[in-house]
Amino acid sequence: MARLTVERLTKTFGAAPVLDDVSLAVRDGEFVAILGPSGCGKTTLLRQVAGFDRPDRGRILIGDDEVSGPTGHVPPERRRVGIVFQSYALWPHMSVAGNVAYGLEVAGVGAAERARRVDAALHLVGLDGYGERAPAMLSGGQRQRVALARCLVTEPSLVLLDEPLANLDVHLRAAMEREFARFHERTGTTMLYITHDQAEAMALADRIAVMSQGRVLQFATPSQLYREPADETVAAFIGEGMVVPVDVRDVEGSSCTAGLFGAVVRMRCDASQRRGAASACLRAEHLRVTGGAGAGFAARVVAMTYEGGSFRVEARVDGGDALLHFHAPEPCPLVEGAALRLDVADGWVIPPAAG
Ligand SMILES: Nc1ncnc2c1ncn2[C@@H]1O[C@H](COP(=O)(O)OP(=O)(O)OP(=O)(O)O)[C@@H](O)[C@H]1O
Ligand SMILES: [Mg+2]
């Protein structure tokens, strides 16, 4: 196992940078998810780490070894990196064991040692006894596990996974997520897991790097991303956060009072937060319908969607265009067009952009 260090990586295709000054320090044994919308540069980052591509600037270290950078470029086969792709192309004419053994055969590992390692890898992914089957006789999830075994059998120091569950149905995905988590617990392998599914990233990762347009916006634990987003993009992207204007008044430690749509509310903030105009991130669970005529601020329901046991309520704040949403349990007296007052129980003042 090894740590992975990416330092100020830049990669440009044509005019626009696809990776723009990307830095990441992944700890030994850590499970890191790279999360971001389609086209933000996730696969490009993985290709630089794997060594399929050379960055324009910056460097990559696996453990203490520089594998890309000013000192040169270590080819993929010498990086000890295992890769699992979304399309886990197994060779259909080979048995499961043959597929898993192939990389060892190419590397010149003897037959007895090969058989031992293939058995161990199949055991690790829960496929004991499946060695002689043809890939066509496996389910999608089992095939993905063979792909994982094929990657692990080479004893990589780092495993890269590029949307490995994207082709599976929702139930299988959930089962495979649990398997990945268990596998990581058992082996302690350093893993870099690319996905654009935030529930998957939240469920699996120790830390998540949120990418947008070739940049890492925030690299933090799932809970930190949710509770303390570093900027408006992360706030809105993770957990459908609502970004609202606030007027920060008194800051005491990591809490403050702030003006919000004419009401005064308490929010969490960074201890270095200054007074004055800022943006805050609200979550659906921070909003409450309040009874008192003077409490909170006025809004009007614009849409109600039944969610089974509760409604998703969208409301527009009076005198502006801010659109908020929250969940109201069933039975619910609200209807579209109804006036209501909302109060805010919590929120996070987004720190001003650094630099
Ligand atoms: N070899 C290449 N030549 C030119 N442009 C490329 C090349 N590889 C990637 N790109 C561009 O770089 C951008 C990032 O691509 P990348 O594959 O890294 O995105 P991604 O985040 O993995 O997206 P997805 O979630 O859709 O897989 C895209 O705009 C893509 O068109
Ligand atoms: Mg991709």
Side-chain angles (χ1 to χ4, degrees):
M1 310 312 132
R3 58 181 201 283
L4 167 70
T5 314
V6 173
E7 278 176 12
R8 312 210 61 176
L9 214 61
T10 298
K11 179 76 187 174
T12 303
F13 294 115
V18 171
L19 296 177
D20 185 3
D21 202 19
V22 169
S23 295
L24 274 185
V26 178
R27 296 178 198 121
D28 188 2
E30 197 172 19
F31 195 134
V32 166
I34 308 284
L35 176 67
S38 183
C40 74
K42 303 180 299 292
T43 297
T44 304
L45 174 61
L46 183 137
R47 289 176 53 81
Q48 317 302 308
V49 174
F52 298 140
D53 233 345
R54 292 173 187 232
D56 301 336
R57 277 196 304 283
R59 45 183 219 143
I60 300 171
L61 290 87
I62 297 178
D64 294 323
D65 302 327
E66 182 174 297
V67 292
S68 295
T71 57
H73 179 85
V74 176
E77 64 276 12
R78 286 189 27 229
R79 295 193 175 201
R80 297 196 49 231
V81 163
I83 304 172
V84 181
F85 290 109
Q86 180 184 117
S87 53
Y88 32 82
L90 303 175
W91 288 288
H93 60 285
M94 282 185 197
S95 68
V96 165
N99 269 279
V100 176
Y102 185 76
L104 297 177
E105 222 174 306
V106 171
V109 175
E113 169 73 1
R114 222 157 57 211
R116 189 189 65 74
R117 281 168 66 175
V118 168
D119 281 351
L122 288 176
H123 176 70
L124 212 50
V125 298
L127 286 179
D128 291 295
Y130 281 74
E132 295 318 309
R133 286 231 196 157
M137 293 165 65
L138 299 177
S139 72
Q142 288 167 336
R143 281 180 218 175
Q144 189 54 288
R145 280 190 266 164
V146 175
L148 189 59
R150 183 173 60 181
C151 146
L152 297 171
V153 78
T154 58
E155 294 172 354
S157 58
L158 174 66
V159 175
L160 309 176
L161 305 110
D162 194 349
E163 308 238 12
L165 306 183
N167 284 338
L168 304 181
D169 75 48
V170 61
H171 298 293
L172 206 47
R173 280 176 84 118
M176 283 300 289
E177 272 175 24
R178 286 192 293 276
E179 296 225 5
F180 278 132
R182 269 203 298 274
F183 167 78
H184 180 249
E185 274 166 30
R186 274 202 308 268
T187 61
T189 307
T190 312
M191 290 172 113
L192 202 60
Y193 188 103
I194 290 183
T195 180
H196 59 245
D197 180 330
Q198 61 173 272
E200 198 168 285
M202 291 261 179
L204 285 170
D206 297 315
R207 285 191 294 165
I208 301 173
V210 180
M211 280 186 74
S212 172
Q213 300 182 353
R215 302 185 69 99
V216 173
L217 301 180
Q218 189 171 4
F219 184 32
T221 65
S223 164
Q224 280 168 331
L225 288 178
Y226 189 80
R227 290 179 55 82
E228 301 176 359
D231 69 15
E232 294 186 12
T233 309
V234 176
F237 181 61
I238 300 288
E240 241 196 307
M242 296 162 266
V243 177
V244 295
V246 288
D247 172 35
V248 177
R249 298 187 186 160
D250 297 309
V251 179
E252 299 159 32
S254 53
S255 154
C256 65
T257 54
L260 171 68
F261 305 128
V264 177
V265 300
R266 278 208 86 75
M267 289 194 172
R268 289 169 292 113
C269 64
D270 193 85
S272 64
Q273 180 65 45
R274 304 269 180 90
R275 290 170 167 226
S279 295
C281 173
L282 301 181
R283 301 293 177 191
E285 62 271 22
H286 297 159
L287 289 171
R288 292 182 303 216
V289 179
T290 157
F297 52 86
R300 194 168 291 277
V301 176
V302 294
M304 305 249 321
T305 312
Y306 188 54
E307 300 180 309
S310 63
F311 290 86
R312 176 190 165 98
V313 183
E314 289 185 35
R316 196 177 303 285
V317 178
D318 284 7
D321 54 7
L323 196 60
L324 305 177
H325 62 89
F326 59 97
H327 306 283
E330 184 180 23
C332 173
L334 295 172
V335 291
E336 279 178 33
L340 76 170
R341 296 193 74 83
L342 290 171
D343 201 0
V344 168
D346 189 16
W348 164 251
V349 181
I350 297 167

